């Protein structure tokens, strides 16, 4: 993917497929993929991977039913590249430092400051544009929370940081994942995937 352009489609086996590119769609996908209850009843990693892959394709490609199954892998690679904004990571697992859903109340003001407007009011905002704003977040409450989380992981909090942490644990501590998708929505997803709850 070319960084100077805002991609709106992927090409699989020489055929173009439009993708949903609004930042809200990608954040909804990331939230859904982190919902552990979505994978309840999975008896194998293969089944879990199938749910993840199908969910990504269903959400990101409006005409997913046109995509032949032999193109799924290529489509998933391109969608992952799109979500990563074309930035290749080193492949090393990193500790979880943020949560899009939990941190939304402190991410939004920081992103809005960079954007110079409330992005929630925009009818449409491309994911890459949103991430450009996100990557330029400077000194703010959110950056302070991230800094405390990182130092806490290393066990290197200064005295004043320890005090700040004690006063703001609800902001700093990442909560364990609980479901945020209703039972009806989960059943609908399972039905779409042909995996009605057993």
């Amino acid at each position: 993917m070319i960084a100077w352009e805002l991609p709106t489609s992927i090409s699989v086996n020489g055929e173009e497929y439009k993708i949903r590119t609004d930042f809200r769609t990608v954040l909804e996908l990331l939230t859904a993929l982190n919902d552990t209850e979505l994978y309840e009843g999975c008896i194998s990693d293969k089944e879990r991977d199938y749910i993840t892959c199908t969910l990504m394709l269903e959400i990101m490609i409006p005409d997913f039913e046109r995509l032949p199954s032999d193109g799924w892998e290529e489509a998933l690679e391109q969608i992952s590249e799109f979500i990563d904004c074309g930035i290749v990571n080193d492949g090393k697992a990193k500790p979880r430092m943020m949560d899009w859903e939990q941190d939304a109340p402190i991410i939004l003001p920081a992103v809005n400051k960079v954007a110079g407007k409330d992005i929630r009011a925009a009818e449409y905002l491309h994911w890459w544009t949103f991430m450009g704003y996100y990557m330029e977040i400077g000194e703010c409450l959110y950056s302070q929370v991230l800094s405390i989380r990182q130092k806490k992981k290393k066990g290197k909090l200064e005295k004043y940081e320890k005090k700040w942490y004690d006063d703001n644990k609800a902001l700093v501590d990442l909560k364990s994942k609980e479901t945020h998708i209703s039972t009806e929505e989960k059943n609908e997803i399972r039905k779409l995937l042909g995996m009605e709850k057993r």
Side-chain angles (χ1 to χ4, degrees), residues 71-136:
W72 281 27
E73 189 174 338
E74 186 180 353
L76 286 165
E77 285 173 17
Q78 290 184 50
I79 288 169
S80 295
E81 185 180 339
F82 170 78
I83 291 170
D84 292 340
C85 300
I87 299 169
V88 180
N89 67 37
D90 59 12
K92 295 178 185 170
K94 294 177 178 60
R96 185 171 155 241
M97 287 292 140
M98 60 86 67
D99 182 285
W100 287 111
E101 192 170 18
Q102 179 181 326
D103 292 335
I106 57 175
I107 291 173
L108 280 165
V111 169
N112 288 343
K113 183 178 178 184
V114 176
K117 62 183 177 187
D118 190 334
I119 61 167
R120 293 168 292 190
E123 271 189 53
Y124 170 81
L125 181 66
H126 194 282
W127 172 246
W128 284 19
T129 303
F130 169 82
M131 284 303 293
Y133 295 149
Y134 176 82
M135 289 187 268
E136 288 302 311

Side-chain angles (χ1 to χ4, degrees), residues 15-16 64 84 88-89 139 183 186:
E15 179 133 6
E16 289 288 309
F64 164 64
D84 292 340
V88 180
N89 67 37
E139 262 301 304
T183 303
K186 284 181 197 156

